[in-house]
Amino acid sequence: MTNHSPNTGSETETTASEAKAANTMWGGRFASGPAEAMERINPSIDFDRRFWREDILGSKAHAEMLVAQGILTAADGAAISKGLDEIWGEIESGTFTFSRALEDIHLNVENRLREKIGDAAGRLHTGRSRNDQVATDMKLWARGATDALDAELKALQKALIDQAEANVATIMPGFTHLQVAQPITFGHHLLAYAEMMGRDRSRLADCRKRLNESPLGAAALAGTPYPIDRDRTAASLGFDRPAANSLDAVSDRDFAMELAAAAGICAVHLSRLAEELVIWTSQQFRFVKLSDAFTTGSSIMPQKKNADAAELVRGKTGRVLGAFTALTVVMKGLPMAYGKDMQEDKEPLFDAVDTLGLCIQATTGMIADLESNPEAMRSAVERGFPTATDLADWLVSALGMPFRDAHHVTGRIVKLAEERGCGLADLDLDDMKAVHQGIDRRVYDVLSVEASVRARTSYGGTAPDRVAEQVAAARARFLTP
Ligand code: ARG
């Protein structure tokens, strides 16, 4: 199923004359046609045509079941199925004419079917309603969207893990409060994002599992007197089971809210990474270089190479989070069961999924292409006394000093280095002894950033040996099918 594919079919006609005066689909008790503003507010065809495939597949499954249950003759079933296949071809090839007067994808398809096969088309809607139909279509679409996003996130994880492997021993400053804290490895830093994407994927998988119940056959809200087989249509559409309550089946949009929420959290993760890329590519940091493929120049300042893709990923996060807000506000306060408000579920969800998909792809490209600058990272790490914690730990372990005292002594030594304008490892032993008599030559073993990083061997720690193990583990956890 192609969720990211653009709409197919020709442009939408503003009116379909035969359907305008009194709607042939439901106009039995209507004397006049809709007002001009109604014609504009009512239709969803401009956006719900996007799930025409899901709509046709749902109709075919429903028709096949009606025949199996003896509700529809085999001849009518065959005509419906053939007609729907032809409509598929028309939409795919762009010759289908969508009509706003026919409101939505469901009525557009059914109307075309009537043009093709006559009265038998009218029997397709037996035992179902647009309410269960639209919920079914949306769920099928959302299911495909979770699969597509999962594949895109997996590709991003691969790019992160590959870069991590190349930078297992590349030392950079680790920050807290954006102040140099302790030396870490760049590979370790990148793997942190692979973990975040892993949780994003598991949220999508969870959402997919919960949404995979079929609304089809719930009809308008109460079920139907026809002897339909909801297990059969559920199975043929790949659902795990039919939704148990017909009211819930047509009024549930949890799946849309959940998918938008999962997309929003993922977008926040991408935005944090994007922010780091913006910082790292700045002249003040120069930790990484992005490729020409993901940067832009300035029309006035020739020296500039801007991280526009990263800034846009950061900026588009607002849209994805906005979609979640829009969806939840639409649903808030809706009484059972269906309300036309729910037609407003589509555009935010489509936008959230499209936007997130694009952001993931752009991020994957930036990460796959980026070049780290170990020298710039190295000189940045030297500037911030990043081994002060190692010195304090050494005072504890080698001299038996209580940690609080060690913290104080270290603070005085840092102050000294600051006054001298040098790093901790550049201080004379005598200078350190002047602060605390017990310090001896062994202290230099812990003052280098390499020693500091190498020592952090606890599980999940930044030592290159540990990071190399984590690279292999991440490949096994995230990239093997
Ligand atoms: N276009 C509608 C939607 O997207 C389809 C369901 C219409 N149902 C109804 N009872 N008017 O929600």
Side-chain angles (χ1 to χ4, degrees):
M1 218 146 289
T2 47
N3 284 280
H4 296 293
S5 72
N7 294 322
T8 341
S10 57
E11 284 308 293
T12 312
E13 271 187 0
T14 307
T15 60
S17 46
E18 77 280 10
K20 184 171 161 69
N23 193 302
T24 51
M25 294 298 171
W26 43 256
R29 69 184 291 261
F30 284 69
S32 75
E36 188 270 335
M38 182 59 176
E39 278 182 347
R40 286 192 288 132
I41 200 173
N42 197 44
S44 52
I45 188 61
D46 290 312
F47 41 90
D48 68 15
R49 57 194 267 184
R50 175 162 182 162
F51 51 65
W52 62 268
R53 291 182 188 81
E54 289 79 0
D55 194 70
I56 291 177
L57 290 171
S59 288
K60 288 188 69 166
H62 184 66
E64 187 270 334
M65 177 277 292
L66 291 177
V67 172
Q69 295 298 101
I71 302 168
L72 207 65
T73 65
D76 281 348
I80 287 170
S81 179
K82 182 166 172 287
L84 288 170
D85 287 343
E86 286 171 20
I87 292 170
W88 183 293
E90 290 173 12
I91 299 179
E92 197 160 50
S93 65
T95 58
F96 188 94
T97 304
F98 291 100
S99 154
R100 289 201 182 97
L102 289 165
E103 275 190 52
D104 55 26
I105 187 62
H106 326 295
L107 296 183
N108 269 266
V109 169
E110 194 185 320
N111 187 67
R112 181 72 184 126
L113 190 62
R114 185 187 299 274
E115 288 172 2
K116 285 179 163 299
I117 69 168
D119 282 350
R123 298 188 204 284
L124 170 60
H125 217 49
T126 312
R128 76 168 186 191
S129 142
R130 274 189 294 159
N131 296 350
D132 56 337
Q133 196 179 353
V134 72
T136 304
D137 293 0
M138 278 291 280
K139 279 186 160 184
L140 289 174
W141 186 88
R143 192 175 73 191
T146 60
D147 293 343
L149 289 172
D150 183 72
E152 277 156 1
L153 282 171
K154 188 175 177 183
L156 174 53
Q157 285 181 307
K158 182 175 185 313
L160 288 163
I161 295 167
D162 287 347
Q163 279 289 0
E165 182 160 43
N167 288 283
V168 154
T170 307
I171 290 175
M172 71 179 285
F175 299 92
T176 59
H177 318 274
L178 202 55
Q179 312 265 344
V180 173
Q182 290 176 353
I184 59 170
T185 59
F186 187 43
H188 192 54
H189 195 128
L190 292 170
L191 285 182
Y193 284 97
E195 291 297 324
M196 290 151 87
M197 303 307 142
R199 290 193 296 276
D200 291 328
R201 289 179 67 192
S202 103
R203 260 183 290 276
L204 289 172
D206 198 39
C207 167
R208 188 194 198 286
K209 207 178 329 155
R210 210 166 5 253
L211 74 73
N212 208 29
E213 294 186 346
S214 173
L216 196 56
L221 75 165
T224 173
Y226 297 101
I228 61 169
D229 182 351
R230 293 191 57 209
D231 288 297
R232 188 184 182 104
T233 47
S236 67
L237 292 170
F239 287 111
D240 295 328
R241 63 192 77 83
N245 180 298
S246 64
L247 295 171
D248 179 49
V250 295
S251 78
D252 166 35
R253 292 294 181 276
D254 286 7
F255 63 93
M257 292 188 279
E258 278 194 58
L259 180 48
I265 295 172
C266 180
V268 167
H269 291 159
L270 297 180
S271 184
R272 293 181 66 182
L273 177 53
E275 167 70 1
E276 300 219 87
L277 290 172
V278 171
I279 293 173
W280 291 344
T281 51
S282 70
Q283 281 309 311
Q284 290 71 22
F285 276 74
R286 295 186 307 108
F287 284 7
V288 304
K289 214 154 84 192
L290 294 176
S291 72
D292 290 353
F294 288 97
T295 48
T296 62
S298 158
S299 53
I300 177 166
M301 296 166 283
Q303 84 282 12
K304 295 268 274 189
K305 197 168 160 191
N306 298 325
D308 283 27
E311 291 174 273
L312 285 165
V313 167
R314 194 175 58 185
K316 282 178 189 293
T317 300
R319 285 171 61 163
V320 182
L321 294 171
F324 174 73
T325 304
L327 283 165
T328 45
V329 174
V330 166
M331 295 311 293
K332 174 191 169 299
L334 278 194
M336 284 282 168
Y338 176 85
K340 190 75 170 235
D341 317 47
M342 285 153 77
Q343 182 164 290
E344 288 294 308
D345 62 352
K346 293 169 191 64
E347 289 163 291
L349 188 63
F350 294 163
D351 189 53
V353 169
D354 290 344
T355 303
L356 181 64
L358 180 58
C359 289
I360 298 169
Q361 287 169 27
T363 306
T364 303
M366 286 190 283
I367 296 296
D369 286 4
L370 75 71
E371 268 173 57
S372 61
N373 180 350
E375 296 74 40
M377 292 183 184
R378 177 69 211 211
S379 72
V381 89
E382 294 292 359
R383 282 196 294 272
F385 308 110
T387 55
T389 315
D390 299 81
L391 172 54
D393 287 340
W394 182 84
L395 294 170
V396 171
S397 61
L399 307 186
M401 204 181 274
F403 186 80
R404 279 288 150 238
D405 298 345
H407 188 286
H408 184 76
V409 167
T410 303
R412 288 180 57 200
I413 294 175
V414 166
K415 188 157 173 278
L416 196 65
E418 206 166 32
E419 282 161 12
R420 301 269 157 89
C422 68
L424 294 178
D426 308 319
L427 286 171
D428 288 340
L429 185 57
D430 288 343
D431 288 335
M432 286 193 265
K433 275 181 168 306
V435 176
H436 182 81
Q437 212 15 266
I439 297 178
D440 61 60
R441 191 145 290 288
R442 290 174 301 161
V443 74
Y444 288 103
D445 294 343
V446 302
L447 292 182
S448 81
V449 294
E450 282 76 13
S452 167
V453 158
R454 226 181 305 120
R456 290 193 158 56
T457 54
S458 55
Y459 176 74
T462 204
D465 288 349
R466 278 281 171 272
V467 177
E469 282 167 18
Q470 285 301 328
V471 164
R475 274 194 208 292
R477 283 164 61 213
F478 299 132
L479 304 184
T480 53

